[in-house]
Amino acid sequence: ETNTSPFHPFENQQGDILRMEKEHQVLKEQLREAEEKFEQLQSRSSEEISALEELLKKNIEETKVSQNELDWFHQDSETQKKKWQQEKKENRENLKALKGTAKKHSDTNDRYLKTIDDKEKQYNACLNTFLETSNKFANEKSKLEELIRKSQGDSQECEKRAVKAEISVLQIWKETETWKLKSNIAKAEGTLRILKAQSSSPSAAPVLKSQVDAWEIFISNVKKQLEKVEAEYEEKIELVRNGARNCLSKVETVDFLFP
């Protein structure tokens, strides 16, 4: 009655109600703190949810844009694929045409080579004839010089024959040298025509340009050599006709190697 004994059924021992009251206060305080934390978390969560919703909305919009770009890329890829297939077909057709042209040029080149071989045979035959004629004229010149020493009366006639022989030899040398140079020019021009025809293709032009330039320089050099040979032989022939001596010598020439 003086609150010195447990109050059944609420107390098992003295002070349980006070202890429970204190625990209740502690629990109320913890509940209040928990409610405050919950409100703070709820507020923070709401902000994060709003930010996430905004980010999700932005990602959805970006996804739509990316999808549109992907669709455009697929369309562009299809267009490029069709274009490449068409170019591949055209390149295949061009390659086929180039092979036909190359075969045609190869056949033409074979004909030119055969013609060159025939011309070389003719040149060798002419060269042999020239050597025989040169020896013949040399022997005849010796005989004429001997006749001049033996007969002063016939010296003028012999002199004329000697001049004619020298002119003939110089003309033969001139014809031989010019024929050889012209033959080289013809060979080079034939090859140059083939190279120019082949370089009409855009893909082959850079590869063949250096060869075309080399052959053009070769032709130019040989033509200059031809003009020099013709001029110097004509000068020698004119000197012989005017009574000059010791003109029976070949004009020095330079052998240009084919590119």
Side-chain angles (χ1 to χ4, degrees):
E1 290 180 358
T2 57
N3 200 19
T4 57
S5 59
F7 180 46
H8 295 288
F10 303 104
E11 289 182 325
N12 292 323
Q13 60 183 5
Q14 177 69 25
D16 281 350
I17 291 176
L18 291 175
R19 190 167 47 254
M20 289 176 65
E21 193 66 31
K22 289 180 181 179
E23 291 177 355
H24 178 69
Q25 289 296 327
V26 171
L27 289 173
K28 282 180 68 177
E29 184 65 25
Q30 290 178 349
L31 178 61
R32 186 182 61 78
E33 292 177 355
E35 286 177 347
E36 290 177 355
K37 289 182 179 179
F38 172 74
E39 289 176 355
Q40 291 176 358
L41 288 173
Q42 190 176 26
S43 176
R44 191 181 303 120
S45 298
S46 297
E47 293 176 356
E48 291 179 354
I49 289 170
S50 298
L52 288 172
E53 287 176 347
E54 185 66 26
L55 181 61
L56 179 61
K57 182 180 178 182
K58 183 179 179 181
N59 287 336
I60 290 172
E61 292 176 354
E62 290 178 351
T63 302
K64 289 180 179 179
V65 173
S66 298
Q67 184 64 39
N68 292 333
E69 291 179 350
L70 182 61
D71 294 339
W72 175 83
F73 178 74
H74 284 159
Q75 292 176 359
D76 185 64
S77 297
E78 289 295 326
T79 304
Q80 290 292 335
K81 181 180 178 181
K82 291 179 181 178
K83 181 180 177 182
W84 290 337
Q85 288 175 345
Q86 181 64 27
E87 289 179 352
K88 182 179 179 182
K89 181 180 178 182
E90 292 176 356
N91 289 335
R92 190 182 294 114
E93 292 175 353
N94 290 335
L95 180 61
K96 184 178 179 181
L98 285 173
K99 285 182 178 179
T101 304
K103 186 178 185 305
K104 181 179 178 182
H105 288 315
S106 177
D107 295 340
T108 303
N109 189 46
D110 291 340
R111 289 198 300 272
Y112 280 134
L113 289 174
K114 187 177 182 303
T115 303
I116 290 170
D117 290 338
D118 294 339
K119 294 294 184 181
E120 285 182 349
K121 291 178 181 177
Q122 293 177 10
Y123 164 74
N124 291 330
C126 291
L127 181 62
N128 293 332
T129 303
F130 157 73
L131 293 174
E132 293 176 0
T133 305
S134 178
N135 292 332
K136 178 180 178 182
F137 279 122
N139 294 331
E140 189 171 344
K141 182 182 178 183
S142 299
K143 292 178 181 180
L144 287 172
E145 290 175 348
E146 184 66 26
L147 288 173
I148 289 171
R149 285 193 295 269
K150 290 180 179 179
S151 177
Q152 290 295 326
D154 295 335
S155 62
Q156 188 175 5
E157 182 65 23
C158 290
E159 203 169 68
K160 289 180 180 180
R161 292 179 63 187
V163 169
K164 189 182 293 184
E166 288 185 10
I167 291 174
S168 178
V169 170
L170 289 171
Q171 285 177 338
I172 290 173
W173 285 347
K174 174 189 171 186
E175 290 172 0
T176 302
E177 290 295 329
T178 56
W179 184 90
K180 182 172 70 174
L181 293 172
K182 288 177 180 178
S183 176
N184 289 339
I185 291 172
K187 295 176 187 177
E189 287 178 343
T191 303
L192 183 60
R193 283 194 296 272
I194 294 172
L195 290 174
K196 285 184 175 180
Q198 292 176 345
S199 64
S200 62
S201 169
S203 60
V207 179
L208 297 177
K209 185 178 183 305
S210 61
Q211 298 184 29
V212 170
D213 293 341
W215 280 98
E216 287 178 344
I217 292 171
F218 173 79
I219 291 172
S220 175
N221 291 334
V222 176
K223 285 183 177 180
K224 291 177 182 178
Q225 180 78 2
L226 177 62
E227 293 175 358
K228 173 180 175 293
V229 167
E230 289 179 338
E232 292 190 13
Y233 271 116
E234 286 297 328
E235 183 180 358
K236 285 178 177 289
I237 290 172
E238 191 62 28
L239 288 172
V240 171
R241 284 177 179 157
N242 293 331
R245 293 292 178 266
N246 299 324
C247 294
L248 195 64
S249 62
K250 289 186 176 181
V251 173
E252 293 183 1
T253 59
V254 178
D255 290 329
F256 295 101
L257 299 178
F258 283 100

